[in-house]
Amino acid sequence: QVQLVESGGGLVQAGGSLRLSCAASGSIFSINAMGWYRQAPGKQRELVATITSTGSTNYADSVKGRFTISRDNAKNTVYLQMNNLKPEDTADYYCNAHGWFPTPMDFWGKGTLVTVSS
């Protein structure tokens, strides 16, 4: 089992920046990849960015060049640096951990709200 706790959400004006953090605990050695997803009101949850255990990253086209995902293995924490935020980035942001436990499993945090005002 893996527990994920997000922090760093809040209200920011368009063009501003926020950094989200996700601290993982539990069976962290079974995690292959971690990522951030978001869900806006009335919309489906969508991928924002992922990072593997080897450091490979993947981004949604809508955030490329503005968001950066990174990880601190010593702190078991994944970060999402969000720059040049837009109102359409407003959503609940969820941390995800994927791995073999020993079968493939996904774990989710409770989410943190990001609101971007115009």
Side-chain angles (χ1 to χ4, degrees), residues 50-64:
T50 60
I51 185 167
T52 68
S53 57
T54 58
S56 296
T57 58
N58 181 51
Y59 295 92
D61 288 342
S62 59
V63 306
K64 283 181 180 177

Side-chain angles (χ1 to χ4, degrees), residues 12-92:
V12 64
Q13 289 187 331
S17 299
L18 282 174
R19 188 177 80 156
L20 306 183
S21 300
C22 173
S25 60
S27 302
I28 58 174
F29 294 106
S30 297
I31 297 174
N32 296 128
M34 294 186 69
W36 290 94
Y37 291 71
R38 66 187 181 186
Q39 187 167 17
K43 294 187 177 181
Q44 290 187 331
R45 189 172 296 189
E46 63 177 4
L47 179 147
V48 176
T50 60
I51 185 167
T52 68
S53 57
T54 58
S56 296
T57 58
N58 181 51
Y59 295 92
D61 288 342
S62 59
V63 306
K64 283 181 180 177
R66 300 188 298 123
F67 291 10
T68 302
I69 190 169
S70 62
R71 61 193 299 165
D72 184 333
N73 291 329
K75 296 182 178 180
N76 300 321
T77 299
V78 172
Y79 304 97
L80 185 69
Q81 177 66 43
M82 305 185 294
N83 298 328
N84 190 21
L85 282 159
K86 303 176 181 180
E88 51 263 44
D89 294 318
T90 295
D92 287 303

